[in-house]
Amino acid sequence: MDDAHAVAVLRATDAEASAEWYRRLGFTEEFRHQFEPGMPWYIGIRRADAARLHLSEHRGDARPDTLVYLYVPDVDTVAAACGVTHIHDNPWAREFEVKDPDGNRIRVGTVPQSRR
């Protein structure tokens, strides 16, 4: 069995606040790490459907303004949790986009039944 997977690392100026913000998208904290008190935080978050992100306060780990595409089973439910009222219906997905506290763009979409 192959259990390989990829995880996007996003820049966060306040990883704890960012992890809280991501709760609206269905993420919960999986772990947190700090080499010693006063050092930057590195926090892992995940959704029940196995999507994972890492939020890093370390300056060299990631660039600001990154785009992550998050596929979800029900984009309307996630949009409501984020306070989004306008969802775009595209041929490839029904989707919306939000920015996290650090300006990283999170595009959330559901693939239409006809394309699955």
Side-chain angles (χ1 to χ4, degrees):
M1 175 186 262
D2 185 4
D3 63 353
H5 61 278
V7 176
V9 178
L10 300 176
R11 178 78 170 100
T13 54
D14 182 339
E16 188 169 8
S18 289
E20 182 60 33
W21 183 89
Y22 277 92
R23 287 187 187 282
R24 298 185 293 172
L25 295 172
F27 285 88
T28 58
E29 187 175 314
E30 187 172 30
F31 70 87
R32 64 175 52 209
H33 174 73
Q34 187 181 42
F35 284 107
E36 60 183 59
M39 295 287 292
W41 281 102
Y42 191 93
I43 297 178
I45 57 176
R46 84 175 281 168
R47 282 180 47 98
D49 56 12
R52 287 187 165 99
L53 294 172
H54 290 180
L55 307 170
S56 177
E57 294 178 358
H58 296 269
R59 288 186 181 209
D61 280 355
R63 300 180 67 165
D65 194 35
T66 297
L67 171 64
V68 172
Y69 201 108
L70 176 63
Y71 289 98
V72 297
D74 183 2
V75 70
D76 295 279
T77 299
V78 179
C82 292
V84 172
T85 58
H86 185 71
I87 302 170
H88 302 279
D89 286 306
N90 300 307
W92 58 88
R94 182 167 165 75
E95 65 184 15
F96 69 93
E97 186 173 300
V98 291
K99 286 189 176 186
D100 76 6
D102 293 289
N104 295 302
R105 297 171 298 135
I106 311 301
R107 195 168 297 153
V108 183
T110 298
V111 176
Q113 286 284 29
S114 62
R115 294 193 49 117
R116 291 182 197 172

